[in-house]
Amino acid sequence: MQQKEQPSSNVTDIEIQLITRINIKNERHMLITGCAILPNEHLLFANYNRRRNILEYSKEGNYISSIQVYAEPYDITVLDSERIAITYGYNGFFEILNYCNNSVEKKIETGSHCWGLSQSNGKIYIQLDKVECFDTTCKKLFTMAVAGDFHISASKTNLFCSNSLNNNVYCYDMHGQEVWKFRDDSLQSPLGVTHDRSGNVFVVGRKSRKLILIQHDGKTYKNLLNLKNYSAPVAVCYNKDKHNLLYCDKKGDYCALYKVLNT
Ligand SMILES: *[C@@H]1O[C@H](CO)[C@@H](O)[C@H](O)[C@H]1NC(C)=O
Ligand SMILES: *[C@@H]1O[C@H](CO)[C@@H](O)[C@H](O)[C@H]1NC(C)=O
Ligand SMILES: *[C@@H]1O[C@H](CO)[C@@H](O)[C@H](O)[C@H]1NC(C)=O
């Protein structure tokens, strides 16, 4: 008798349905590199350019505000109902921001470029030269030597990384052991990466201009969106409670919130 451990995690059954398109404020030289869905369902976009702001929209896609920060923000992750963590790319630091009163609680210089980050289970994982793990007081806990370069996504048990140069997506356990590696011609120059509760991995390809969903075992995938008509796909994030997926391309040409079905 064969028993299925994860009955609902076959990616062929998973579909996405558009909730709303977000018409990003049309500023010059937009460079959206990261996004986040807040617990109140507001949508945040890191604009990695000289304006140094994080754009906030309602779940209906309406502009709310521009959160001014002190350097170019690269990526964002939610810590709790008041706080987010933000990386600052080549500026070489990350910080914890209370977004209710816009006050910086901690700023940590990392000594190297500070790219994608992801919070899971009270731990903050950050892609520096290696992936470093901090607790929410910013105490460094451990380092993982992984083969990704910019974007990561952490669950309780796994760390997912994309490598934009060799086109691989990796799944590691928390000891840094590779669990699987995915590579397919449908995914060129992977950047933003996020995952659902079953460990299925959403990833966008900057050159392939697609959003795909890799099955939790790394063995198969499903094409979810073709994005050929817009600027390069970069950012994607998933809200596990609402089953919502937020996507945005580099220039903010096409940014949209989707409902993920059958996950
Ligand atoms: C996944 O679902 C599809 C269609 O429902 C089915 O054809 C396929 O065999 C399933 N794959 C696995 C590994 O269960
Ligand atoms: C912002 O709010 C937090 C938590 O409510 C509080 O600890 C902090 O002192 C506040 N900061 C400022 C500058 O008001
Ligand atoms: C992309 O653009 C082409 C030419 O303008 C148009 O025919 C096509 O329908 C567009 N595709 C999508 C998915 O919007």
Side-chain angles (χ1 to χ4, degrees):
M1 289 290 275
Q2 267 198 315
Q3 275 200 321
K4 266 192 166 179
E5 280 177 17
Q6 286 163 303
S8 66
S9 53
N10 184 339
V11 293
T12 29
D13 303 331
I14 297 176
E15 287 173 12
I16 58 172
Q17 189 178 68
L18 182 67
I19 297 174
T20 188
R21 183 168 173 181
I22 299 108
N23 290 308
I24 294 278
K25 236 158 81 98
N26 206 355
E27 291 178 349
R28 286 198 308 149
H29 310 300
M30 293 291 284
L31 182 49
I32 306 292
T33 44
C35 63
I37 304 174
L38 293 178
N40 65 10
E41 297 187 69
H42 287 185
L43 313 172
L44 299 182
F45 301 95
N47 186 13
Y48 193 58
N49 76 2
R50 281 181 297 115
R51 288 180 190 274
R52 301 176 172 177
N53 57 20
I54 291 172
L55 302 170
E56 180 176 8
Y57 287 79
S58 72
K59 69 170 192 274
E60 291 80 24
N62 299 317
Y63 173 76
I64 296 176
S65 69
S66 162
I67 302 168
Q68 202 61 41
V69 288
Y70 295 101
E72 295 86 344
Y74 187 81
D75 200 6
I76 311 164
T77 195
V78 174
L79 301 184
D80 53 41
S81 59
E82 293 188 343
R83 300 180 308 152
I84 54 177
I86 307 162
T87 50
Y88 288 92
Y90 64 74
N91 297 290
F93 72 94
F94 72 96
E95 66 186 16
I96 292 181
L97 179 83
N98 184 313
Y99 59 83
C100 298
N101 56 16
N102 207 14
S103 74
V104 176
E105 290 189 358
K106 280 262 163 69
K107 176 179 171 182
I108 305 293
E109 303 278 349
T110 50
S112 61
H113 298 175
C114 214
W115 303 114
L117 86 171
S118 180
Q119 186 271 135
S120 174
N121 214 17
K123 295 190 179 76
I124 308 169
Y125 297 83
I126 306 187
Q127 177 73 58
L128 303 162
D129 291 337
K130 294 176 176 177
V131 169
E132 293 190 0
C133 178
F134 299 82
D135 67 16
T136 51
T137 68
C138 299
K139 194 176 115 210
K140 192 162 136 186
L141 300 176
F142 57 88
T143 300
M144 289 168 75
V146 299
D149 58 3
F150 291 106
H151 291 263
I152 63 173
S153 186
S155 72
K156 275 187 187 164
T157 51
N158 295 103
L159 184 74
F160 306 98
C161 315
S162 62
N163 184 309
S164 64
L165 296 177
N166 69 13
N167 299 328
N168 287 335
V169 175
Y170 300 88
C171 170
Y172 292 92
D173 68 18
M174 286 307 177
H175 303 292
Q177 288 293 316
E178 188 181 299
V179 178
W180 52 256
K181 179 165 78 179
F182 173 89
R183 186 176 173 159
D184 189 277
D185 287 345
S186 63
L187 185 66
Q188 307 283 334
S189 196
L191 291 174
V193 60
T194 188
H195 66 276
D196 71 9
R197 281 185 192 278
S198 305
N200 299 312
V201 180
F202 300 90
V203 57
V204 293
R206 182 172 62 83
K207 289 187 183 154
S208 45
R209 308 227 163 192
K210 280 181 185 165
L211 167 68
I212 68 165
L213 177 61
I214 303 170
Q215 190 158 288
H216 59 88
D217 54 9
K219 287 188 177 143
T220 183
Y221 75 96
K222 179 173 185 172
N223 190 25
L224 294 179
L225 278 180
N226 288 310
L227 299 153
K228 288 225 165 18
N229 289 2
Y230 304 103
S231 71
V234 181
V236 67
C237 56
Y238 182 72
N239 178 313
K240 291 173 194 64
D241 299 320
K242 303 281 179 198
H243 300 290
N244 285 349
L245 186 77
L246 180 61
Y247 165 79
C248 195
D249 63 20
K250 178 179 159 180
K251 294 183 179 169
D253 291 338
Y254 186 73
C255 299
L257 185 67
Y258 289 88
K259 175 67 72 189
V260 181
L261 307 172
N262 308 323
T263 186

